[in-house]
Amino acid sequence: MKKKIGVYICHCGGNISDYVDVEKVRQAVEGDEGVILSKTTMFACADSNQKEMVDDIKDRELDGVVVASCSPKLHLLTFRAVVERAGLNKYNYVHANIREQVSWAHSDNKMGATEKAIQIVKAAIAKVRNTESLEPVIVEATNAVAVIGAGIAGMRAAIELAEAGSQVYLIEREFFVGGRVAQWDDLCLTEETGKELITRLYDQVMSQKKITLFTGAEVIENSGSVGNFNLKVKITPRHFKLRCTEETLQQAIDVCPVEVPDEFNFNITTRKAIYHNYPSEYPQLPAIDMKNCTRCGECEKVCPNIDFSQKTEYLNLKVGSILLATGFDPYEPKKGEFGYGEIDNVVTFPQFKRIVHYCDDKLVYKGKEIKNIAYIYCVGSRQVDGENKYCSRYCCTAIIHTAITVKKKYKGIHNYHFNRGIRTYGKAEVWYDESSRLGDIYLQSFEYDPPVVEKSGTQTIVRIKDMLTIDKEIEVVADLVVLVTGMVPRQDNSIGNLLKVPRGRDNFFNEIHMKLRPVETVIDGITIAGASQGPKNIMESINSGLAAATKSFSLVNSGELALEPTVAKVNLEACEWCGKCDEACPYNAFEKVETGGKFIAKVNSAVCKGCGMCLPVCPTNALDLIGLTDEDVESMIDALIPNI
Amino acid sequence: MSIQKQMKTLEYDVLVVGAGIAGGESALNLADLGYKVLLLEKELSIGGKMILLSKVFPTLDCAACITTPKVSEIARHPNITIFTGAEPQKILKKGSHRFEAVVLQKPRYVHVADCTGCQLCEEACPVSVTDEYQYGLVGRKAAYIPFSIASPRAAAIDIDNCTLCGACERACPTKCIDFTQTPEEFLVKIKSVVIATGFELFDPLKIPRYGYGKYKNVITSMQMERELAPTRPFNTVLRPGDGKMPDNIAYVLCTGSRDKSVGNPICSQICCMYSIKQAQLLMGALPMADITIYYLHIRAFGKGFNEFYVQAQDMGVEFIKGKVGKITGKENGNLVVRYEDIKAGTVKEAEHDMVVLSVGVLPNQGISGVFENEELQLDPFHFVNQVDLMASPAKTSIEGVFVAGTASGPMDIPDSILSGGAASAETTSYLRKESL
Amino acid sequence: MTGGKVNNSPRILVFSTEKISDPAIDMAGLLKLHYPPTVYTIPVPCSSSIKPRWILHALEQGFDGVFIAADGTDCPYGESCTEKTGQLMSVTQQLMKEKGIDPARLKMAAICSVCSEPFVKHVKSFAEYLSKSSN
Ligand SMILES: Cc1cc2nc3c(=O)[nH]c(=O)nc-3n(C[C@H](O)[C@H](O)[C@H](O)COP(=O)(O)OP(=O)(O)OC[C@H]3O[C@@H](n4cnc5c(N)ncnc54)[C@H](O)[C@@H]3O)c2cc1C
Ligand SMILES: Cc1cc2nc3c(=O)[nH]c(=O)nc-3n(C[C@H](O)[C@H](O)[C@H](O)COP(=O)(O)OP(=O)(O)OC[C@H]3O[C@@H](n4cnc5c(N)ncnc54)[C@H](O)[C@@H]3O)c2cc1C
Ligand code: SF4
Ligand code: SF4
């Protein structure tokens, strides 16, 4: 219990004293238990008063301080810093808000305002009597970060983290790095192709000693919390010891009898069980897909580097922070959606990218030369009836850019864009403009009246009620229909479930706050980057990768973390472990432990955020929040009731 | 080309130019990592445009509630020094990790440390002029606090309009007003520079057929933003012409954007969304009002944006795909909007009692001229050029100089913050390279 | 105007939340939206951290009513807040019934960080209810 409390009541230059009789307030509290000093001041926050406070605290050896002034949002931290400068632990400071919640709110009732101010200051004094000195919870932090996903966002973040000085484990599930961007050739924004960009990033990754890259790797277990996550990683072998010559490799591929759809090409081609996605893909070491391999051993006969004895390995990593950059999946249209899967010249945008990649001077699909291309926008996005209400952001720009490329690359191309309002935002507007100038035709449908794709004899016809020509029904005979498919979250969310990262309304990983903390998640220490958080183009993915790298780095860089000490506390005697607190806690801060022959709850103060959601659920009232104990609250309540 | 000696010399790790949300984010990240940052802001308060906004799309949280804690975190940070009313005059690259800047700080005529923001000087000052922080909607005094949530929340004297009557000096209880202050130049030595000078708003006087400046009830979106902000001048939404509460408000999108005739071919990326936001806020503030948005395409592309757009449609905001040709005023202050209705294929007219021009984002070009011995390249649209757009979006044409936020092109707040984060990341690794 | 006898108005204890509803109550002051000065606030981190015993303590010590200015869906600690605050409301009201206290003396509404006007409306009508029911 404090015995040397100092109280300062601020005039705020009239803001308070015009309505509250501050001298009367001072008189009313000067005799309160423990108060040895009470003053009014013109401006409590002014430098001169701050100096006076420091002197008072030192001279009179104050052990508790109250300032009654404006809202704590403005100056709580100011005055905490003042008491700290005077050598008093800052948690022995209590703030009373008598401006926003008294003088201004009751400027119509001076007497009422003064009485309320008295009660509020008394309550603050009651609280400061109980305060304890607290120290931040210090946890050790491993200066290492696990980056999950080696797409562009993950690779770029890894490079940044390594340059800044952290150890980085870059964990990629596939046997090859680059994510989606490796699958596109021409890119919008610059002249660089996807492969060139990936090569550039991969070279940087490999030149960083601090980065360890794992391919064919997946995180399968996670424990611990910010500063100290323990990850178990499963590494699937690629069954290749060393790189072999192109020739031997080709022979090995040729002899492999297994043929499966090639996912890298979105199943428009097939590949063998022994494969690489394209020559010189990174890492430059082919892999054997054991899900489809029949172990016939034919390849082994031609290539000495193949090694079927390689085993799955398990690895334990300790990291201070996890950066998730697992990207997106392209939307897969349902069978029959705009003829997909039923009409043979209907393809998706990603497939179209691969088709264009394989066609040099003529655009040919399934043996037929393509001249008329119909692009149907927003497939899987902006759904009126479906779940995906969002716009996928990248697609208008990327498809228009691709359409321009196609028109320039092949002769006689006619592009028809069946859109729902073009969203070439920002500088991308110039491509929309260019494509219109090149004679591309834009037809816009209503949200509720999408275009229809039909087979009529040997022809594929796209029909639309065009908003831009007064609802005229227009028909286009298309050699190829490209469904401009949007982005959806990775369908396999095992990593999200494992790390308990929440998803937003759109099912992508959710940030804490779009503006204040856009790359952090509610799980302390886990950041999100790239398209895993929502649709993004490359530049936007990189920006978010870099921003996430900064946040992850700032957590682990100093080797330790200071956390707020105002966390939950368990009363050992009262606790009977029923697990209700564990259920209520949104952060998993509770642990069941055995002491003195019984089970009780233990709070991990490094994980507890001090929200207090556990407090009301405990049936034996064994929980308190430090700084908001029953004694604190009830003594404040008592003080708020005038004892007349 | 060397800089004179007599200036006071200061040394920091990083100079951040512009204290909007992007510059602020960069400065905070760098300061958290232990780097010493000098943050320059040419205005009297930090916070950029965002601190003056009402609520923000697509979450509709209040801009002030988000900005003020950030701003005070910046202001309090022991590793950040802030100069308001200050701009770089020139910046020279002296070598790898060596820059020198000459910074000019204009006098505020107030000792900020002593000012308590009591506003007694404002009351005492006899001079009234229009308030630029309220975008001309109301007046202010020559001795004034820029706006209620400004940081620093300290008075300033607008010396151009001040009559030197001395009333404020007499009224000030802490004697913090000081007319003897003079402009001050500093020589600042730094290792790296972050450009976060933000954007400018299109001036609708350049499109005379929209009647801005001629008809009082044609206002800009930034003015509407102020009418809707919690620290708003009128406490409600009014027509500036006659103080009447409007009940039929129109928005003209793409004002000054996507328009080669005014020299700006690109899309501003934010105006569709902020107009939709204002429409929703107006429906809350004036439940009886009709809101019409004249648009060409709605760019609702970001996280939660399309949903926000659909929500506005469901609330009853009318969206007309149409190109506005001309706005004319009527005697009662109402406005006639003549537009080409694209769906109907005809030219139509509609009467509204207030028109908001959704003005676009223009580059703030001045900064490139400050660099003297190396060229800070601009892109074809005069924004700061991002030389490695896809792998290092914060890199500029000068090694060691990075760009954050709308200085490199139009973007909304979430993107500006990410870009601020990216710029601080690249600055960090650049600074690390020196120490290796 | 001065005066306005304080003791006439019912005493209301408001549990506000540090990040969400307390700023709204501050802003009510900033906008000079008046409400009875017998309304006092104690800020807590989150509205689902309020213990029923605190509420009962307040009512037993002389407060006429308790108002929870809840985070609602804006809660920074998670979506379950609305549900949890609702639960502690009903638990407390059950306890109030058992003790013969009118459960309507406890009220809750979600107050967002800019909901100053709704806050004032809520406490005013609550005060009205409380003064009617005490007569
Ligand atoms: C058809 C199409 C065309 C496009 N064209 C352009 C363009 O021209 N310009 C442009 O700027 N953008 C374009 N984009 C967008 C671009 O593809 C994305 O911005 C980019 O791929 C996002 O990168 P990312 O790293 O976030 O995700 P991804 O590229 O999806 O990479 C994620 C990585 O994480 C790995 N991974 C996933 N789950 C796990 C796990 N559990 N464990 C370990 N690793 C995992 C994946 O294997 C992958 O390597 C296009 C997109 C599409 C669909
Ligand atoms: C009407 C309107 C409504 C909006 N609503 C929203 C919304 O609801 N949601 C949303 O996400 N976005 C919204 N925005 C967009 C948002 O304002 C911007 O995304 C954001 O302000 C960009 O921040 P910035 O830091 O890049 O630039 P700015 O805010 O422009 O900050 C730049 C700062 O640099 C300073 N500066 C400039 N030059 C110099 C110099 N030479 N020396 C020193 N300092 C200098 C400026 O004074 C300024 O303070 C809106 C914009 C407008 C116009
Ligand atoms: S970016 Fe364009 S195509 Fe993609 S979902 Fe949005 S509006 Fe549709
Ligand atoms: S964001 Fe909308 S209003 Fe602004 S320029 Fe782009 S299309 Fe026009």
Side-chain angles (χ1 to χ4, degrees):
Chain A
M1 197 73 110
K2 303 264 153 39
K3 295 198 178 71
K4 294 179 175 180
I5 299 167
V7 181
Y8 298 83
I9 300 145
C10 184
H11 284 254
C12 194
N15 274 314
I16 294 171
S17 54
D18 283 353
Y19 313 103
V20 170
D21 184 341
V22 290
E23 180 51 28
K24 195 168 163 195
V25 176
R26 196 196 63 76
Q27 284 168 10
V29 303
E30 69 178 339
D32 275 19
E33 195 190 331
V35 175
I36 61 162
L37 177 147
S38 61
K39 288 181 173 176
T40 63
T41 157
M42 184 50 83
F43 288 106
C45 59
D47 237 21
S48 52
N49 185 65
Q50 291 194 20
K51 284 192 199 99
E52 196 175 318
M53 282 175 66
V54 171
D55 293 342
D56 287 344
I57 295 169
K58 285 185 181 158
D59 295 348
R60 310 281 309 263
E61 296 177 335
L62 299 182
D63 55 7
V65 176
V66 171
V67 175
S69 60
C70 52
S71 162
K73 273 118 237 146
L74 295 167
H75 282 314
L76 171 70
L77 295 163
T78 312
F79 294 120
R80 275 190 176 173
V82 171
V83 299
E84 213 162 37
R85 280 208 300 279
L88 185 62
N89 182 284
K90 65 180 178 191
Y91 293 97
N92 292 309
Y93 171 76
V94 173
H95 198 93
N97 179 354
I98 60 164
R99 190 174 79 178
E100 280 80 353
Q101 294 191 7
V102 181
S103 69
W104 283 349
H106 312 300
S107 54
D108 58 338
N109 183 343
K110 290 187 185 175
M111 219 167 89
T114 303
E115 267 187 53
K116 179 171 176 182
I118 292 172
Q119 268 20 90
I120 285 182
V121 179
K122 280 181 179 289
I125 294 169
K127 183 165 182 198
V128 86
R129 276 193 210 113
N130 296 329
T131 56
E132 287 168 52
S133 298
L134 301 174
E135 294 305 329
V137 178
I138 303 287
V139 296
E140 230 176 80
T142 312
N143 192 355
V145 180
V147 176
I148 304 182
I152 40 144
M155 284 203 279
R156 188 65 185 86
I159 296 163
E160 201 59 38
L161 283 161
E163 285 189 344
S166 285
Q167 184 66 46
V168 184
Y169 303 107
L170 179 54
I171 301 166
E172 171 56 52
R173 187 167 59 181
E174 300 291 322
F175 286 115
F176 306 97
V177 303
R180 299 290 174 201
V181 173
Q183 294 170 292
W184 328 134
D185 274 339
D186 277 316
L187 297 175
C188 46
L189 296 184
T190 72
E191 304 282 295
E192 203 170 16
T193 65
K195 274 184 219 164
E196 286 162 356
L197 181 61
I198 299 304
T199 307
R200 195 146 69 95
L201 291 175
Y202 180 76
D203 287 346
Q204 286 184 49
V205 165
M206 294 323 278
S207 69
Q208 288 287 345
K209 291 197 191 68
K210 293 208 152 217
I211 302 180
T212 316
L213 169 69
F214 301 103
T215 49
E218 239 182 311
V219 177
I220 53 166
E221 275 172 36
N222 163 48
S223 62
S225 59
V226 60
N228 298 287
F229 290 101
N230 300 302
L231 302 180
K232 186 167 182 184
V233 182
K234 174 181 166 192
I235 301 172
T236 312
R238 61 207 304 142
H239 299 295
F240 260 87
K241 279 187 292 212
L242 284 169
R243 223 180 136 204
C244 41
T245 61
E246 286 303 317
E247 227 170 290
T248 336
L249 175 62
Q250 201 49 55
Q251 279 174 6
I253 292 176
D254 289 343
V255 297
C256 176
V258 179
E259 212 161 305
V260 292
D262 187 351
E263 285 181 10
F264 187 81
N265 289 332
F266 302 98
N267 306 341
I268 58 168
T269 60
T270 56
R271 66 157 166 80
K272 298 297 183 70
I274 165 172
Y275 74 107
H276 55 181
N277 291 325
Y278 54 86
S280 79
E281 197 185 9
Y282 301 104
Q284 293 189 337
L285 195 60
I288 297 177
D289 155 16
M290 293 310 287
K291 274 190 222 100
N292 292 303
C293 169
T294 57
R295 277 159 241 235
C296 67
E298 288 300 318
C299 57
E300 234 177 340
K301 292 180 193 152
V302 293
C303 176
N305 287 327
I306 290 171
D307 179 1
F308 280 105
S309 71
Q310 288 180 352
K311 298 242 150 43
T312 302
E313 284 177 49
Y314 294 90
L315 211 77
N316 291 309
L317 300 176
K318 194 168 171 192
V319 297
S321 173
I322 299 171
L323 190 155
L324 265 182
T326 48
F328 68 98
D329 278 334
Y331 172 76
E332 177 67 17
K334 292 188 193 67
K335 194 168 179 325
E337 191 173 354
F338 298 105
Y340 185 73
E342 286 171 353
I343 301 174
D344 64 356
N345 54 351
V346 176
V347 299
T348 64
F349 182 14
Q351 289 173 332
F352 184 56
K353 282 294 252 190
R354 299 310 298 162
I355 296 168
V356 174
H357 168 80
Y358 285 111
C359 296
D360 285 332
D361 50 350
K362 268 197 216 151
L363 185 60
V364 179
Y365 182 62
K366 295 201 167 155
K368 200 177 158 236
E369 189 176 351
I370 310 294
K371 296 281 182 196
N372 284 1
I373 310 173
Y375 304 93
I376 300 185
Y377 282 58
C378 305
V379 177
S381 312
R382 299 176 64 182
Q383 290 175 331
V384 174
D385 298 319
E387 258 184 34
N388 304 345
K389 301 291 176 203
Y390 57 89
C391 158
S392 288
R393 182 170 191 156
Y394 86 97
C395 18
C396 277
T397 303
I399 196 69
I400 290 176
H401 185 267
T402 306
I404 294 174
T405 309
V406 166
K407 203 163 206 171
K408 289 182 176 166
K409 188 169 172 185
Y410 313 109
K411 276 195 213 82
I413 297 285
H414 300 283
N415 290 322
Y416 300 89
H417 301 263
F418 293 82
N419 70 89
R420 287 176 48 190
I422 296 293
R423 291 184 174 170
T424 41
Y425 58 91
K427 298 176 196 167
E429 188 73 16
V430 295
W431 286 307
Y432 180 29
D433 207 54
E434 181 180 351
S435 107
S436 309
R437 251 185 300 123
L438 290 172
D440 280 17
I441 308 283
Y442 285 84
L443 303 151
Q444 183 175 347
S445 63
F446 292 93
E447 311 270 295
Y448 294 88
D449 204 359
V452 178
V453 182
E454 274 172 0
K455 194 94 196 169
S456 160
T458 55
Q459 287 185 329
T460 303
I461 293 172
V462 185
R463 205 174 282 132
I464 186 174
K465 226 188 236 156
D466 178 30
M467 162 197 289
L468 307 179
T469 47
I470 328 163
D471 300 356
K472 235 180 29 215
E473 181 142 298
I474 293 181
E475 265 186 27
V476 172
V477 178
D479 302 325
L480 189 68
V481 177
V482 178
L483 305 184
V484 183
T485 43
M487 291 187 183
V488 294
R490 289 264 172 201
Q491 296 312 92
D492 171 6
N493 186 39
S494 46
I495 188 72
N497 293 336
L498 182 73
L499 301 176
K500 295 211 173 72
V501 174
R503 302 211 201 185
R505 261 198 305 181
D506 52 11
N507 274 323
F508 287 91
F509 291 147
N510 217 15
E511 66 287 340
I512 296 184
H513 190 286
M514 197 180 273
K515 301 187 178 75
L516 290 173
R517 299 166 79 182
V519 293
E520 290 160 87
T521 66
V522 291
I523 312 297
D524 263 354
I526 300 185
T527 56
I528 45 178
S532 68
Q533 182 264 356
K536 285 184 189 58
N537 68 20
I538 294 172
M539 183 193 84
E540 293 155 352
S541 301
I542 298 268
N543 266 340
S544 88
L546 290 170
T550 307
K551 289 293 172 217
S552 282
F553 179 65
S554 67
L555 287 174
V556 300
N557 121 73
S558 71
E560 60 177 38
L561 282 169
L563 310 174
E564 271 289 316
T566 44
V567 294
K569 195 176 73 181
V570 181
N571 175 337
L572 305 185
E573 266 139 53
C575 177
E576 300 285 348
W577 180 264
C578 61
K580 290 221 164 83
C581 50
D582 190 31
E583 273 164 40
C585 178
Y587 303 104
N588 262 328
F590 285 98
E591 213 184 315
K592 181 179 176 180
V593 295
E594 199 182 344
T595 37
K598 65 168 185 175
F599 285 107
I600 58 156
K602 187 173 163 237
V603 181
N604 181 347
S605 43
V607 178
C608 174
K609 291 257 195 346
C611 68
M613 286 197 189
C614 54
L615 303 190
V617 303
C618 178
T620 59
N621 195 30
L623 289 165
D624 264 324
L625 207 57
I626 297 175
L628 200 75
T629 61
D630 290 346
E631 200 181 356
D632 292 334
V633 177
E634 287 165 11
S635 65
M636 280 196 283
I637 291 172
D638 295 345
L640 288 174
I641 297 286
N643 40 7
I644 357 147
Chain B
M1 239 193 324
S2 90
I3 291 165
Q4 309 102 331
K5 288 270 153 58
Q6 62 270 37
M7 281 180 267
K8 196 167 163 194
T9 304
L10 304 169
E11 267 188 63
Y12 297 91
D13 294 312
V14 187
L15 176 71
V16 177
V17 188
I21 195 71
E25 179 75 13
S26 295
L28 261 183
N29 287 339
L30 288 163
D32 279 343
L33 294 175
Y35 295 109
K36 301 275 179 217
V37 178
L38 177 64
L39 180 57
L40 296 185
E41 172 53 57
K42 73 171 158 53
E43 297 295 331
L44 294 169
S45 167
I46 63 174
K49 307 236 178 10
M50 185 180 170
I51 201 168
L52 296 168
L53 300 179
S54 56
K55 297 194 178 186
V56 282
F57 65 76
T59 41
L60 283 189
D61 34 16
C62 122
C65 307
I66 299 175
T67 338
T68 36
K70 270 246 154 134
V71 155
S72 60
E73 206 180 330
I74 296 165
R76 262 196 347 260
H77 207 292
N79 290 337
I80 302 178
T81 307
I82 302 170
F83 283 5
T84 49
E87 275 182 72
Q89 299 293 100
K90 52 179 153 185
I91 302 178
L92 295 177
K93 181 154 186 186
K94 293 287 197 172
S96 173
H97 298 91
R98 274 174 54 220
F99 290 86
E100 281 184 11
V102 177
V103 170
L104 176 75
Q105 185 166 36
K106 285 182 287 172
R108 189 177 185 121
Y109 304 105
V110 170
H111 291 290
V112 171
D114 294 332
C115 175
T116 60
C118 68
Q119 294 178 293
L120 294 175
C121 56
E122 273 185 7
E123 271 169 42
C125 176
V127 180
S128 283
V129 293
T130 49
D131 186 348
E132 62 273 42
Y133 291 104
Q134 303 291 2
Y135 287 81
L137 288 171
V138 288
R140 62 154 172 85
K141 297 298 186 66
Y144 68 115
I145 291 185
F147 47 95
S148 60
I149 52 171
S151 171
R153 192 175 179 281
I157 309 292
D158 169 3
I159 206 73
D160 296 334
N161 289 304
C162 170
T163 59
L164 294 178
C165 69
C168 53
E169 256 183 313
R170 289 189 294 277
C172 178
T174 64
K175 302 284 165 247
C176 66
I177 295 176
D178 176 2
F179 282 103
T180 67
Q181 287 182 353
T182 51
E184 217 176 331
E185 281 196 340
F186 298 92
L187 174 63
V188 183
K189 296 188 172 178
I190 56 266
K191 297 172 183 164
S192 175
V193 180
V194 175
I195 305 292
T197 44
F199 65 103
E200 281 176 8
L201 289 167
F202 175 76
D203 177 4
L205 286 174
K206 294 202 182 116
I207 308 182
R209 59 200 162 82
Y210 284 173
Y212 182 76
K214 187 166 163 200
Y215 310 121
K216 281 193 172 154
N217 297 332
V218 177
I219 65 170
T220 68
S221 48
M222 202 61 203
Q223 289 175 316
M224 182 53 96
E225 207 62 49
R226 292 309 301 158
E227 289 213 15
L228 289 164
T231 51
R232 56 199 178 194
F234 309 133
N235 237 341
T236 174
V237 178
L238 299 178
R239 300 209 301 190
D242 49 12
K244 177 182 158 247
M245 289 235 254
D247 54 27
N248 185 353
I249 304 168
Y251 278 82
V252 180
L253 299 195
C254 304
T255 303
S257 312
R258 308 175 67 193
D259 183 350
K260 286 187 204 125
S261 71
V262 296
N264 183 26
I266 66 174
C267 158
S268 291
Q269 198 161 319
I270 55 169
C271 13
C272 281
M273 286 305 293
Y274 73 56
S275 304
I276 292 173
K277 165 193 76 179
Q278 293 187 356
Q280 293 196 15
L281 294 175
L282 282 168
M283 296 203 115
L286 310 167
M288 301 310 289
D290 293 325
I291 320 278
T292 309
I293 295 184
Y294 295 97
Y295 73 100
L296 295 172
H297 300 91
I298 293 289
R299 262 84 204 249
F301 55 84
K303 189 160 179 163
F305 291 11
N306 198 57
E307 295 89 322
F308 193 72
Y309 167 41
V310 172
Q311 180 176 309
Q313 287 173 315
D314 293 345
M315 283 169 78
V317 176
E318 193 176 359
F319 287 84
I320 296 183
K321 192 171 171 87
K323 223 183 168 119
V324 172
K326 195 172 166 60
I327 296 168
T328 32
K330 292 190 19 170
E331 218 146 83
N332 62 1
N334 286 2
L335 301 148
V336 176
V337 175
R338 200 178 151 81
Y339 66 99
E340 180 198 337
D341 185 327
I342 295 175
K343 280 184 202 168
T346 53
V347 173
K348 290 186 180 168
E349 281 189 352
E351 187 171 328
H352 299 278
D353 57 10
M354 195 167 175
V355 173
V356 182
L357 302 177
S358 298
V359 289
V361 168
L362 295 184
N364 180 3
Q365 298 179 44
I367 194 68
S368 81
V370 170
F371 287 86
E372 292 205 336
N373 57 345
E374 283 198 32
E375 189 199 353
L376 183 75
Q377 279 169 13
L378 300 180
D379 73 6
F381 317 105
H382 311 291
F383 289 95
V384 174
N385 194 28
Q386 299 163 281
V387 293
D388 187 1
L389 197 62
M390 292 217 276
S392 281
K395 281 208 172 113
T396 69
S397 57
I398 306 177
E399 203 207 355
V401 177
F402 301 96
V403 63
T406 50
S408 68
M411 57 185 105
D412 53 36
I413 294 161
D415 282 349
S416 300
I417 291 176
L418 288 179
S419 147
S424 57
E426 299 226 30
T427 309
T428 309
S429 50
Y430 177 74
L431 293 171
R432 287 275 306 188
K433 280 185 194 130
E434 188 210 17
S435 47
L436 289 180
Chain C
M1 184 181 116
T2 48
K5 269 211 73 185
V6 175
N7 294 339
N8 288 348
S9 307
R11 300 193 155 264
I12 298 175
L13 178 66
V14 177
F15 283 106
S16 62
T17 64
E18 280 158 9
K19 295 195 177 73
I20 309 292
S21 62
D22 206 55
I25 302 174
D26 276 357
M27 192 155 49
L30 189 73
L31 301 173
K32 307 261 161 89
L33 301 171
H34 298 134
Y35 53 93
T38 45
V39 173
Y40 298 85
T41 47
I42 293 183
V44 295
C46 163
S47 48
S48 26
S49 70
I50 302 162
K51 287 190 188 175
R53 64 176 270 171
W54 302 343
I55 298 169
L56 294 172
H57 185 85
L59 294 170
E60 284 165 357
Q61 290 306 305
F63 273 101
D64 299 298
V66 173
F67 180 83
I68 299 179
D71 279 333
T73 49
D74 290 355
C75 178
Y77 300 107
E79 283 157 21
S80 62
C81 182
T82 313
E83 188 198 319
K84 284 178 183 152
T85 310
Q87 259 163 22
L88 77 89
M89 266 292 285
S90 53
V91 168
T92 314
Q93 283 176 327
Q94 190 55 41
L95 290 172
M96 288 166 72
K97 269 186 220 154
E98 284 165 20
K99 295 194 172 224
I101 305 173
D102 175 10
R105 284 173 62 194
L106 172 62
K107 210 182 144 179
M108 175 189 76
I111 300 292
C112 78
S113 61
V114 286
C115 293
S116 309
E117 286 171 44
F119 169 76
V120 169
K121 265 186 216 146
H122 279 299
V123 287
K124 276 189 175 164
S125 72
F126 191 29
E128 240 164 70
Y129 168 81
L130 291 170
S131 46
K132 264 190 219 136
S133 65
S134 69
N135 287 337

